[in-house]
């Protein structure tokens, strides 16, 4: 059996673990888009004020950020596998509180609990996948595939919200959150009671112990030893390259995720056209993510990245040139969604898992996720003023500059990986 066949068989063997982790991504995007798509339904059903709506939306953003920042500490106190197994039960409890909420405070508490669990689960799930995977190539393929599930979650939330949009009161929103709770409970049971996963975890831990023994490492790996030890220069370079890339990428992704419909409506599209375009554009994103996942563990990964980042840059310039015309904007947003998912979050996830020891991956990725979400939350305060027709041209030139910065950071990361022999691409 050649190496390609071996790698393919390993990916197939460990695919169920990636699916179990990926459902966590569905729940992560599901709560964000699900709340965004149903917040007006909650407002009408519970009689919320505009200020209360803003607080609930902001609370979710910052709860996810805090959950991400705490991921490393959670694994430290409860263990990596136990955290992976039980976080979705906490998510389900938060979602069910939302389902049965009859006032503002109860809904707010449910959203915060769900956001904290969701924020912590993503970096922990990816760390479990890379910890259990038998080799780096299998790990890259599995980790990148979890991004497909994030897009599925976005797509499903839009569709569910559209289906229940005509229901009276808050009933439609309660159904959407009930679906999220059911998914979370199924995932909790699957992760916790699967004997196959238990064997994967044990084998992965044994490989980690064997690697430590082979390298004759006696010092326990921690954030301090990684960023203040003998190889601190290497890890700091990795960290800042990934951080700059992901913050720049996420500023644009978050802006288009939250304000894509708003931008289209500002160019005189109808609400139904803007919503329908959103569903189609998210489907395009899903296909692009699947395309990247197919090459994430191979020699074409970096070439895909360069193509994707170039498409993003050209799309921003295209939006700047066609800032007042509806169809050119729709087409360029479609191109952006392709580039954004080829050179985007899936790449960031793979880099983070490859660059750092497994003992600190949840902490590093959790910090980057949390810091990025805080930046996006603050940036969202001024975004509506930036995407109105009178300002959008200059905004898109500014976004093109942000894409260029992310390109430089990404290129630096690729060179660092080659320098330190992390992959053979």
């Amino acid at each position: 059996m050649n190496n390609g066949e071996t790698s393919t068989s390993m990916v197939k063997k460990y695919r169920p673990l990636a699916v179990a982790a990926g459902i966590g991504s569905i729940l992560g995007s599901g709560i964000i888009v699900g709340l965004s798509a149903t917040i007006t339904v909650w407002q009408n059903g519970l009689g919320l004020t505009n200020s209360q709506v803003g607080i609930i939306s902001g609370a979710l953003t910052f709860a996810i950020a805090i959950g991400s920042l705490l991921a490393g500490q959670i694994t430290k106190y409860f263990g990596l596998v136990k955290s992976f197994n039980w976080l979705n039960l906490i998510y389900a409890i938060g979602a069910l509180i939302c389902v049965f909420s009859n006032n503002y405070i109860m809904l707010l508490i449910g959203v915060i609990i769900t956001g904290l669990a969701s924020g912590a689960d993503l970096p922990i799930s990816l760390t479990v996948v890379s910890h259990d995977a038998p080799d780096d190539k299998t790990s890259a393929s599995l980790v990148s595939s979890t991004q497909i599930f994030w897009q599925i979650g976005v797509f499903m939330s839009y569709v569910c919200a559209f289906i229940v949009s005509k229901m009276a009161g808050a009933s439609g929103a309660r159904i959407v959150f009930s679906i999220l709770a059911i998914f979370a409970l199924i995932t909790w049971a699957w992760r916790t009671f699967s004997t196959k996963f238990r064997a994967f975890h044990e084998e992965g831990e044994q490989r980690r112990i064997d690697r430590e023994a082979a390298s004759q490492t006696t010092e326990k790996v921690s954030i301090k030893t990684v960023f203040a030890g003998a190889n601190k220069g290497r890890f700091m370079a990795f960290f800042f390259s990934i951080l700059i890339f992901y913050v720049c990428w996420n500023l644009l992704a978050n802006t288009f995720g939250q304000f894509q419909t708003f931008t289209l409506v500002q160019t005189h599209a109808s609400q139904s056209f803007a919503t329908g375009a959103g569903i189609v554009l998210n489907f395009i994103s899903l296909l692009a993510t699947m395309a990247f996942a197919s090459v994430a563990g191979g020699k074409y990964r970096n070439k895909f990245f360069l193509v994707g980042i170039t498409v993003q840059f050209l799309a921003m310039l295209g939006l700047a040139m066609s800032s007042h015309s509806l169809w050119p904007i729709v087409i360029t947003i479609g191109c952006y969604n392709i580039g954004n998912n080829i050179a985007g979050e899936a790449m960031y996830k793979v880099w983070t898992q490859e660059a750092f020891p497994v003992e600190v991956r949840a902490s590093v990725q959790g910090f980057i996720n949390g810091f990025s979400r805080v930046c996006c939350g603050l940036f969202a305060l001024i975004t509506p003023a930036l995407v109105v027709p009178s300002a959008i041209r200059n905004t898109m030139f500014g976004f093109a500059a942000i894409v260029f910065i992310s390109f430089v950071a990404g290129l630096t990361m690729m060179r660092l990986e080659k320098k330190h022999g992390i992959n053979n691409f």
Side-chain angles (χ1 to χ4, degrees), residues 258-334:
Q258 287 189 317
F259 297 100
Q260 179 174 283
T261 299
F262 179 85
T263 303
L264 292 173
V265 170
Q266 288 293 311
T267 56
H268 309 297
S270 66
Q271 182 68 29
S272 59
F273 178 89
T275 305
I279 293 174
V280 173
L281 291 170
N282 272 290
F283 184 71
I284 291 172
S285 298
L286 175 60
L287 295 178
T289 303
M290 293 172 67
F292 176 80
S294 69
V295 300
K299 61 183 180 180
Y300 296 111
R301 184 177 85 188
N302 290 346
K303 292 181 175 64
F304 263 61
F305 173 84
L306 294 174
V307 171
I309 206 81
T310 302
V311 170
Q312 289 180 61
F313 182 76
L314 294 176
M316 293 303 102
L317 293 181
L319 283 170
M321 299 300 182
S322 59
S323 55
H324 299 288
S325 305
L326 176 59
W327 277 107
I329 286 179
V330 172
I331 293 169
T332 49
I333 290 178

Side-chain angles (χ1 to χ4, degrees), residues 99-116:
V99 170
F100 294 106
S101 62
N102 53 17
N103 57 58
Y104 161 68
I105 295 297
M106 194 171 176
L107 180 61
L108 179 64
I109 291 171
V111 165
I112 290 173
I113 292 173
T114 309
L116 288 169

Side-chain angles (χ1 to χ4, degrees), residues 336-350:
Y336 165 75
N337 281 1
I338 294 172
N340 166 270
N341 286 280
I342 292 175
E345 186 152 13
M347 191 82 212
Y348 148 73
K349 289 176 178 178
V350 172

